[in-house]
Amino acid sequence: MAQDERQWQATAHFYTQLFACVWQQLAPYLGAATTLDLLALATATLAEAYPFLTRLVWRPEGLEAESFTKAIADEPPAHVQAGCERLLQELHGLVQTMAGSLLAQRLVAATERLRLAFDPALSLPTPAEELEEPPLPAEPRELALPLLHSVARQAVQLYRRLQAQEAELARLRQERESLRQTPDLVARAAEVQRQPEHSEAFYHTLFELSPDGVIVTTIDGTILQANPRVAEILEVEHPDALVGRNVIDFYVHPEERDALLEQIYTRQRVEGQRRELHTQRGRRIIVMASTSLIDYRGQPCLLSVMRDVTERARLRQEMEDFAYSASHDLQAPLRTFEGYARWLLEDYGHLLDSTGRQLCQEIIDEALHMKKLLDGLLEYSRIGREHTQAVEVDVRAVLEQVLHDLQLEIAETGARIELPESLPRVYYPEVRLVQVFSNLLSNALKFTGGKTPEIVIGCSEQGRYYRFSVSDNGIGIAPEHFGRIFEIFKRLHPREQYPGTGAGLTIVKKIVEAHGGQIGVESTPGQGSTFWFTIPKPEPAGDATADRAAG
Amino acid sequence: MRQLTVLLVEDNPRDVRLTQRAFTQAGLAHDLRVVRDGDEALAYLQREGPYRDPHTSPRPDLILLDLNLPRMSGHELLRYVKQDHRFKQVPVVVLTTSGRPR
């Protein structure tokens, strides 16, 4: 026992000496701070395997002997010996990497000489036999020292950063693996969500949680990945059951897929397309889908996001059908009111006094006004119900037609109307474009406030859109009414002042939006208004979906 | 001048009345025959049932057609009239509240 104890103490003594020697070799060249950094790095690497190393206290003068004694007190000798040797190796590696082989050689030479000087009976790991005393490399010149110090410091900092990055990378890889393997996402989620910028895990969560269907397919339609929402939309048990199937199986109109691919080839991305699908259970549904070409694990694929709008479409259809039949059915009694009141006036007018005749006249006027309201409602419901064919239209021809239709109003008001020099050809249902310009121009001719109307029609290009505008010098609109003017039957003025039903702008807005455009107004009360709207430019490939999207 | 035979296909009696008045006011020599729906119109044209006698049910020179009809719709009747060589020369005026062709 005593023998063991003595040997143990000798070993401890040896390593104290060894680390003192290490310090002497490194600190003068690298500087105390860098040497401490290197030791800390080496210790950190070994911390898990040899925790006692972390308890060593390094001072700017070297290892604190007392801390060493304390640190190893309860450790098995073999463990201490192995730990110290590993620390030495690690340090040697770091010195080699960062300070160059010259210093590393000096370090080895010094430590090996120390080993030789110690009692071989300690059974220390022996160096290669017949080790020659390696020549100590020359002392660096004093002037070079500060430079060397700073280089060494920077090297250590870089190395630290590298190590941190490698550790982060390893952690992410591991995280990805475990996410892939464990279905239990919840446990990991908290940790992952703290660093959303890191990783696939973030996108994976997004994919899983999305209230919209997200699906990845090959170009020919084979499903590679689908999120749980897609499974719900298509009424499939589990998203995995979709993998390997072809999306075309779910299309009500498979030819739409070819049209989609054609568009993808020309512009890589298609947004807000309406598509009819069959679910697994045979139910017919309507989805709005956006699709983009992506690189998925090295092959070109399609990523689609889809939303089930079946219910919305049904309600809208129902509402439009209702509006249509209601306004249609209401027309018949109105005809009777108007016709009979006229009849009364014509054949029995002489039996009535002037009040009686006035009342008949008012019945006629009101019936005619209500007919206009119903016409507006009918027209409004029609935009959604009826699919008008988009064709190539010359905007100038449309404007000329509208101006011709309005020639009476133009002549009455003495209006001056200015058209732009050049006007494009667009892809639009012609009657709808006529309606849009006709409504905007008749408003400009109507709300004049007694002035002679000066109307300027503008056209400019705005990215993927043409922007048209109709500016007048009329009464203008206060900004707080900007929203209201587009609501159906909302009017800002009494009918006696400005006749009309309040349906015109609502119809214009519905047409513009149904064809992928936007509408807006700018106005200064008393000075005039500018109504503008946009029309998507024609696509290179024929785009037959524009009007269908209105449905 | 020969009297103009007009077949009015209209289910609303008030509209029938207004139409009759309009013809009277226009001062046209006319013989207005009224049927209430597409099926009756078809029977009239084909001289079936009560319309068997060509003297009491002469072939119309003009058809006034309300599109919104019970039973056979105005559209169906129009298609029939325009496909039959006996009637396709007869002008049809469609009475509708819609301002646009449907």
Side-chain angles (χ1 to χ4, degrees):
Chain A
M1 265 308 164
Q3 171 79 11
D4 280 356
E5 183 61 25
R6 213 178 64 229
Q7 193 166 338
W8 174 224
Q9 273 170 11
T11 308
H13 178 60
F14 167 69
Y15 282 110
T16 322
Q17 292 291 303
L18 184 79
F19 287 130
C21 165
V22 165
W23 186 267
Q24 276 160 22
Q25 288 305 317
L26 300 182
Y29 302 103
L30 301 177
T34 305
T35 309
L36 283 173
D37 275 340
L38 285 181
L39 281 160
L41 273 173
T43 307
T45 314
L46 300 170
E48 217 169 304
Y50 303 98
F52 78 90
L53 292 175
T54 61
R55 296 196 291 270
L56 302 185
V57 179
W58 296 87
R59 298 270 177 224
E61 314 78 54
L63 178 63
E64 193 184 284
E66 201 184 324
S67 75
F68 184 73
T69 320
K70 262 202 240 165
I72 64 169
D74 298 322
E75 304 288 338
H79 180 71
V80 171
Q81 192 171 332
C84 290
E85 289 298 331
R86 288 283 290 112
L87 184 62
L88 185 63
Q89 270 171 30
E90 202 63 37
L91 265 176
H92 178 256
L94 286 173
V95 170
Q96 175 100 33
T97 311
M98 283 178 303
S101 50
L102 205 65
L103 196 59
Q105 274 169 27
R106 275 185 71 96
L107 183 65
V108 173
T111 51
E112 291 318 303
R113 269 199 300 196
L114 188 71
R115 271 188 220 283
L116 288 173
F118 262 74
D119 186 354
L122 286 176
S123 73
L124 296 166
T126 47
E129 273 170 45
E130 296 166 31
L131 183 100
E132 285 175 33
E133 254 190 40
L136 281 176
E139 299 275 338
R141 300 227 172 127
E142 269 191 39
L143 273 179
L145 269 179
L147 192 64
L148 196 59
H149 283 189
S150 85
V151 170
R153 283 199 68 78
Q154 283 176 27
V156 171
Q157 276 168 10
L158 280 175
Y159 187 82
R160 276 223 161 111
R161 234 189 283 164
L162 178 73
Q163 232 188 10
Q165 277 171 2
E166 272 177 357
E168 181 61 15
L169 198 65
R171 191 187 65 78
L172 287 174
R173 277 203 195 106
Q174 203 188 348
E175 204 160 73
R176 194 178 64 184
E177 275 314 302
S178 61
L179 272 173
R180 215 173 263 157
Q181 284 155 9
T182 48
D184 175 23
L185 273 167
V186 186
R188 312 274 317 184
E191 189 186 325
V192 173
Q193 276 165 0
R194 242 178 287 133
Q195 299 142 316
E197 71 277 18
H198 290 143
S199 78
E200 232 167 272
F202 171 67
Y203 292 104
H204 190 76
T205 313
L206 200 64
F207 177 78
E208 292 282 320
L209 294 181
S210 167
D212 290 330
V214 183
I215 189 166
V216 181
T217 70
T218 61
I219 298 291
D220 67 16
T222 308
I223 299 170
L224 299 177
Q225 216 183 342
N227 75 346
R229 182 65 190 133
V230 173
E232 276 171 43
I233 291 173
L234 296 175
E235 300 186 305
V236 177
E237 286 275 304
H238 193 271
D240 290 350
L242 284 165
V243 175
R245 293 189 56 179
N246 198 303
V247 278
I248 297 174
D249 298 347
F250 294 98
Y251 273 59
V252 172
H253 310 290
E255 69 279 4
E256 284 179 354
R257 174 92 188 160
D258 298 330
L260 170 73
L261 287 181
E262 223 168 86
Q263 291 178 350
I264 287 289
Y265 286 139
T266 50
R267 30 174 181 153
Q268 284 77 56
R269 172 191 275 245
V270 177
E271 281 167 45
Q273 274 201 334
R274 181 189 149 94
R275 206 166 290 152
E276 279 180 65
L277 301 177
H278 298 295
T279 68
Q280 182 71 17
R281 295 194 196 137
R283 208 162 54 87
R284 208 179 246 229
I285 58 166
I286 299 164
V287 298
M288 290 298 277
S290 294
T291 303
S292 178
L293 188 67
I294 58 160
D295 178 273
Y296 183 81
R297 292 175 188 158
Q299 61 170 325
C301 286
L302 299 181
L303 172 72
S304 296
V305 179
M306 61 170 98
R307 179 170 295 184
D308 186 350
V309 295
T310 315
E311 186 59 14
R312 204 173 76 184
R314 193 184 62 77
L315 285 173
R316 198 169 120 170
Q317 188 64 49
E318 222 166 63
M319 204 195 73
E320 278 164 0
D321 287 350
F322 172 76
Y324 179 80
S325 58
S327 52
H328 204 272
D329 293 350
L330 289 172
Q331 300 268 14
L334 269 185
R335 215 161 38 233
T336 309
F337 297 161
E338 192 232 324
Y340 280 18
R342 215 180 273 286
W343 193 339
L344 263 178
L345 209 54
E346 285 167 10
D347 289 12
Y348 305 95
H350 63 283
L351 300 176
L352 299 166
D353 63 4
S354 66
T355 309
R357 285 194 293 273
Q358 176 66 27
L359 293 178
C360 283
Q361 188 56 51
E362 281 179 25
I363 292 175
I364 295 169
D365 293 348
E366 286 302 287
L368 287 176
H369 178 67
M370 187 158 170
K371 181 169 158 36
K372 278 191 195 146
L373 287 174
L374 290 176
D375 283 344
L377 193 60
L378 208 57
E379 197 54 55
Y380 180 76
S381 73
R382 240 187 223 137
I383 295 161
R385 284 165 48 87
E386 289 168 20
H387 297 157
T388 35
Q389 189 68 41
V391 290
E392 203 188 324
V393 203
D394 183 352
V395 178
R396 185 172 299 278
V398 165
L399 276 168
E400 277 163 9
Q401 188 196 325
V402 171
L403 293 180
H404 178 80
D405 292 348
L406 291 171
Q407 55 184 324
L408 197 68
E409 287 87 338
I410 294 170
E412 270 176 10
T413 54
R416 274 201 301 277
I417 300 178
E418 198 179 297
L419 261 63
E421 298 248 312
S422 79
L423 280 162
R425 301 175 79 83
V426 296
Y427 203 70
Y428 222 71
E430 192 171 353
V431 287
R432 298 288 181 238
L433 197 56
V434 168
Q435 272 178 295
V436 169
F437 276 118
S438 169
N439 272 299
L440 293 180
L441 277 165
S442 24
N443 280 350
L445 289 166
K446 183 165 36 168
F447 298 99
T448 58
K451 278 182 274 184
T452 301
E454 289 187 19
I455 300 168
V456 180
I457 296 169
C459 172
S460 59
E461 290 189 45
Q462 210 172 52
R464 286 162 50 205
Y465 298 88
Y466 289 115
R467 184 184 196 269
F468 296 93
S469 58
V470 176
S471 306
D472 63 47
N473 61 338
I475 56 171
I477 302 153
E480 63 264 32
H481 297 314
F482 284 178
R484 201 173 131 91
I485 55 171
F486 293 108
E487 286 172 34
I488 196 159
F489 301 146
K490 288 281 161 62
R491 301 166 43 86
L492 302 177
H493 307 280
R495 223 168 71 216
E496 294 72 40
Q497 196 180 353
Y498 292 107
T501 60
L505 283 177
T506 317
I507 289 170
V508 170
K509 182 174 155 79
K510 192 170 177 186
I511 294 173
V512 168
E513 288 177 355
H515 296 90
Q518 285 185 306
I519 187 165
V521 61
E522 288 143 21
S523 182
T524 311
Q527 290 182 23
S529 310
T530 296
F531 282 87
W532 59 265
F533 67 95
T534 59
I535 294 180
K537 288 183 185 171
E539 297 295 341
D543 186 351
T545 58
D547 211 51
R548 195 155 47 215
Chain B
M1 191 180 142
R2 190 175 71 85
Q3 183 169 265
L4 189 72
T5 302
V6 178
L7 179 66
L8 172 62
V9 192
E10 173 63 71
D11 64 317
N12 183 336
R14 286 167 294 274
D15 280 345
V16 171
R17 229 164 142 182
L18 285 167
T19 312
Q20 273 165 340
R21 177 177 152 80
F23 270 102
T24 311
Q25 279 191 319
L28 273 168
H30 68 284
D31 171 19
L32 189 68
R33 303 293 171 130
V34 181
V35 288
R36 301 178 52 112
D37 60 44
D39 290 343
E40 275 184 30
L42 206 59
Y44 184 98
L45 290 172
Q46 293 174 333
R47 297 214 168 110
E48 287 168 356
Y51 310 107
R52 203 160 289 147
D53 187 347
H55 295 290
T56 52
S57 304
R59 183 164 295 175
D61 301 301
L62 174 70
I63 299 174
L64 295 182
L65 175 63
D66 179 12
L67 280 185
N68 269 32
L69 289 171
R71 303 211 273 174
M72 181 194 252
S73 81
H75 282 286
E76 283 170 277
L77 183 69
L78 186 59
R79 201 172 305 125
Y80 168 81
V81 169
K82 288 296 148 192
Q83 276 168 1
D84 192 309
H85 71 276
R86 288 171 298 173
F87 311 119
K88 67 177 172 196
Q89 298 299 329
V90 181
V92 179
V93 175
V94 171
L95 306 173
T96 172
T97 48
S98 309
R100 284 172 198 287
R102 292 191 62 207

